[in-house]
Amino acid sequence: MSKAGNIIITVLIWLFVALAVVASVFCVRYYNRKTVNGVEVRVLVPEGKEMLTDSIIKYFISNEINSVKTKRFSSVNDSLLTTKLMKIQSVKSVKVTPLVNGNILVTVVQKEPVAQVNIKDRKNLYMTLEGDIFYSDRYDGSYKLLTINGLKDTDINKHSSRTENLSAVVSYILNEKKHFLYDITESVSVVGKDEMIELQSKYGVKRIIIGTPDNMDVKSFNLRMFCEAMQERDLSAYEALNLNFENQVIAITKN
């Protein structure tokens, strides 16, 4: 390409950038001068795991919705809406966006529950894959959740080694969905002073000792091979199967 052609292309690029900047400034000023007509709410829910609805969110921020109507966009404090909604424990994130129709769109992302958490004297607690524990009274039982045992009150508002280990094992089990570990697991527990992870099985032997969440591929493979080799025997004769030793499955018999 000739030198003149390069100059023309460079000028066009800078002209495009300048027009984009002018347009963005115009849009900002336009929205800042406009008044808010109303508030729209959109809730993004993990498929089949609804704990929040548009109506719940609208009710929760009804006072804030009334207060922002007829205000200019420039005077609307997005953080007030966000801070209020983040008080709902099942809310993962909030985004406030102005719309061309004069409304404000509040987009709420719901946390995805993967397990129900049992803690003494506490009800309606759930865990995400990230290990966050949250409260919700909206679980209707229409979808399967693993059950988690052995956590404490102190694990609810902060990540601990217990929640991290549990979430790692639960994440692995769910990634094996419709496969071996997922099919046999009823609940996951933290047990003893060493905080070993155990699975409570639906079939045969009731306790499967995982130990720590490392080498889960090897542990799952060893367990599957052991169960296939023992398929003609009644595994319920065993108290537990211990996978916490390298390349071994230790069968613990009942007393």
Side-chain angles (χ1 to χ4, degrees), residues 177-210:
K177 196 169 184 179
K178 297 183 179 177
H179 295 291
F180 183 67
L181 274 184
Y182 180 82
D183 288 338
I184 70 171
T185 300
E186 184 171 46
S187 62
V188 187
S189 301
V190 184
V191 178
K193 293 182 179 179
D194 294 332
E195 299 181 351
M196 294 289 99
I197 305 296
E198 289 188 4
L199 308 183
Q200 284 68 51
S201 172
K202 299 176 184 177
Y203 314 109
V205 61
K206 290 299 182 182
R207 295 170 52 224
I208 300 172
I209 303 170
I210 297 292

Side-chain angles (χ1 to χ4, degrees), residues 132-148:
D132 294 327
I133 299 174
F134 66 95
Y135 169 88
S136 176
D137 59 359
R138 297 279 300 175
Y139 176 55
D140 60 8
S142 62
Y143 49 91
K144 176 186 174 180
L145 292 176
L146 293 174
T147 301
I148 288 179

